[in-house]
Amino acid sequence: MADDTEQRYDPATIEPKWQQRWAADAALYAAEPASCGKPKYYVLEMLPYPSGQLHMGHVRNYSIGDALARHMWMRGYNVLHPMGWDAFGLPAENAALKNNTPPREWTLANIAAMRRQMERLGLGYDWATEVTTCLPEYYRWNQWFFLRMYEKGLVYRKQSKVNWCPECATVLANEQVVNGCCWRHEETLVEQRDLEQWFLRITAYAQELLDGLDTLDGWPEKVRTMQRNWIGRSEGTDVDFTIEGSGERIRVFTTRVDTIFGVTSVQLAPQHPLVKDFCAADAELKAKVDGLIEEQKKAREAGDVGAIEKHGVATGRWAVNPYSGEPVPIWVANYILMDYGTGAIMSVPGHDERDFEFATKYGIEIRRVIAPADPDAEEPALPFTSEDGILTNSGEYNGLSCEAAQKKLQELAARAGFGQATVTFRLKDWGVSRQRYWGTPIPMIHCEKDGLVPVPDEQLPVVLPAQVAITQQGGSPLGRVAEFLHTTCPKCGAPARRETDTMDTFVDSSWYFYRYTDAKNAGMPFDPAKAAYWFPIDQYIGGVEHAILHLIYSRFWTKVMRDLGLTPNSEPATRLFTQGMVIKDGAKMSKSKGNVVSPDDMVARYGADATRMYALFAAPPDRDLDWQEDGVAGVSRFLARVWRLVTKYAAVARAAECDGHSDGAAAAGLLRKLHQTIAKITQDFEGRWHFNTCVAAIMELVNEIQAADAQLDSGAVPPLAIRELLRTLVLLLAPFAPYLAAELWEELGEEGAILRAQWPVSDADLARESELEFPVQINGKLVEVVRVPAGAASAAMEAAALAGERVKTRTVGKSVVKVIVIPGKLVNLVVK
RNA sequence: GCCCGGAUGGCGAAAUUGGCAGACGCAGCGGACUUAAAAUCCGCAGACCGCAAGGUCGUGGGGGUUCAAGUCCCCCUCCGGGCACCA
């Protein structure tokens, strides 16, 4: 048996052996202090939710990050490559309900299981900096930040809508609402209820979050665009209309104040406070408005807000256009949103599609106030929404361009006090309240006498109680834990009540990457000096599904931390990479589709190296990856070939004299290929990241070495060259197949960890081709391939092309009209 | 509806700056080794016509620019993702 296994590449023996050695070497993947003098490199992969099972998306994400980290270590950098757990969240409560396991136990067991999976995959993390967000040592700093933000006026409370399942009698997170129904009760419509909620004032940073995107040129344009749209900055004008009779004002927001003379109604959102007043005196109106609210709600629940038919109801009131003095009717309409702008609009049916649709339906006047800039042009049909035109039917403003009119009208409004230029953002403040158990308790106390009182710093952390019955009853589970709920007011000492909301888990992931730089700090979230050394993150890697929320929150939190003096950086990461999804049989891997491939299975069958390398080989990292198990088998076969090749010549390589001589034609060809491969892979690590072609390049190199097996065997290739070939091959493999590389490194008699070995440098002289092989085309079609000595002049190329056998037979009796020579590339003959 | 990706052999893909389309791998076929198989090694392999030499076509479709287009420009189709009454 021994003989047999000795001859075979066996990841099941190699990999656990090295896994053990690496686990015993605490310094191997450890970040060094700033004093080490090396340049720093912070490579970060998004931390996973500890579901208990790594999936292929994780494997892909971490294989990319680990390859980069290993490469940077070999380039001599001080690398921070940490990992942690986004450990709060609903699944733990669901598991508690289902299995009667406490969320904490369930979560910690899952973390242990996933960490074992990661270690088995050979991912090189610095576990000394591990961060687990559900532990008080971490979440106390969430509370600390919350209090700092409270002091800065960045935290406030307000009434807000929540999803409520009447069957569960509890609040649902947005993700638990499926097609407008409760995920547990698929027939039960989710209701919107008003609750007092905590908010973080992210909108205070809206402009900066937008401007910062311009500096993030290391981020994918797609992500920046998505964030820009999400922030949704829009410049416009606030205009106050006066209600006839009462003298009350309705403030509207418009981006097209130049169309003000085309206003033929004012439209209010059904939830607008003035509508409530109108309804108080008019039961009939109230019934109709309630109907509109119901329609909006239904549409929102059904998830097609944009598709609902426009409905409205006239209030019978009139509002006066402050520019023209003209009264227009006030309507309430279901397409007006209370939470954007002022919840009221001026309706200009002549120049807005939605207003046009509404006015047509209800017979409201449609007026043209913008004419084409070219007086000879035909008047375009209404609604005419372009801003490329001049004002008409607009009194003294007639003839002005839209842009000029906007400016003039804004100035007038400001002067006369009925409005001004203004900027509106689509971005809303961040509601962080969750009526949930498994999250960070919000560190606030409700006192009868003193009102809202923050928990003093010295009383942090507010610890999540361990013994909590997770039930499906309504309200926050923490509200039913007497020991937690009842406390005393820090100000007056009287009995008081703790806040029972917990924080959104996006809070945890908004700053965890700072904690990695100083994970054990008990006195601060982190030491600013340590963070200043490591930040910004040099490369952040994760799924594009986090392009908006997580990455906006993280940017916001960084700016807050900067303003607290904790970091000099305004942005957390200079470069962001978003990898593609893992697909199988044409669909994203998911339990419901039954197309999930377990990483454990792959590792058991083919080994960690083959699994990881396949994840890099099957597609470029930014594209979707189609998982084909036969492909993993192919990579595994390739690794076996490498193993056989290196072990076959290991003894020769070990014995090679370092001062020996390494020439010979066979060696020159192989060394040329070797140095070309080094150059290709090094270059890819520096920018393009097409690791699929890196793996292919290594395969080509191995194919070529193997094709020269006879020369290697016969001694035609000097031992020193063999040594360089194999040694470098193993080094190139190290970021992609770390176990096999470590094993073969040792096999070649090298001392010390391959991770500490120097990344090979391509020698341009050795890489250079001695001959140029170039295509000759006739009229753009390939006719022949000819050779000239490398570096030959254009004239030599032309001569060689014209001397080609096939070229000669093809040009007989014809004339060469033109010869195009691209030096070093090709020759094209234009022949008639 | 708007914004972003993408479409290349039987399959995953490559072609980095407009310059030999299909590298590398999978599946397939033929051969060597073997009593046999597995494993391994060698070879073939875009489609069509042809015994062959060779030829014609070919990167979702249509048009264009160019000596030369998978790559650039215009129009269109399909697939994936994001946003969606944002005033």
Side-chain angles (χ1 to χ4, degrees), chain A residues 189 216 522 636 817 823:
Chain A
L189 275 176
L216 294 175
S636 165
V817 181

Side-chain angles (χ1 to χ4, degrees), chain A residues 477-549:
Chain A
L478 289 177
R480 291 188 297 273
V481 182
E483 313 84 83
F484 178 85
L485 186 65
H486 301 304
T487 183
T488 53
C489 171
K491 259 193 191 161
C492 69
R497 193 170 52 79
R498 270 191 202 287
E499 171 62 54
T500 57
D501 283 356
T502 51
M503 296 182 201
D504 182 3
T505 57
F506 275 114
V507 168
D508 309 316
S509 54
S510 288
W511 68 279
Y512 73 101
F513 33 78
Y514 274 87
R515 183 71 179 171
Y516 284 142
T517 65
D518 195 15
K520 302 283 192 292
N521 198 322
M524 291 193 81
F526 54 87
D527 176 353
K530 288 184 180 161
Y533 170 69
W534 285 108
F535 270 81
I537 297 160
D538 294 281
Q539 183 67 61
Y540 196 14
I541 308 165
V544 72
E545 63 272 21
H546 296 111
I548 298 179
L549 296 180

Side-chain angles (χ1 to χ4, degrees), chain A residues 303-358:
Chain A
D304 56 356
V305 188
I308 73 168
E309 208 188 322
K310 293 178 178 43
H311 277 125
V313 46
T315 62
R317 316 275 179 132
W318 294 74
V320 177
N321 182 336
Y323 287 96
S324 63
E326 180 187 17
V328 292
I330 302 172
W331 286 65
V332 182
N334 64 353
Y335 71 100
I336 309 304
L337 307 172
M338 192 55 224
D339 54 6
Y340 183 77
T342 60
I345 65 149
M346 54 181 233
S347 177
V348 185
H351 302 280
D352 181 282
E353 304 222 358
R354 294 152 303 173
D355 296 344
F356 183 86
E357 187 187 333
F358 190 86

Side-chain angles (χ1 to χ4, degrees), chain A residues 401-419:
Chain A
S401 72
C402 292
E403 203 184 333
Q406 283 176 17
K407 228 173 149 205
K408 270 210 149 147
L409 290 159
Q410 283 170 346
E411 281 163 12
L412 172 60
R415 221 168 33 241
F418 60 77

Side-chain angles (χ1 to χ4, degrees), chain A residues 13 36 45 88-89 120 144 162 183 205 306 361 414 431 448 503 510 596 710 753 762 766 799 825:
Chain A
T13 355
C36 72
E45 296 119 53
F88 272 136
R120 180 64 190 82
W144 186 87
V162 294
W183 65 307
Y205 288 86
K361 180 165 183 169
E448 291 265 319
M503 296 182 201
S510 288
V596 174
S762 174
L766 290 174
K825 290 269 193 204

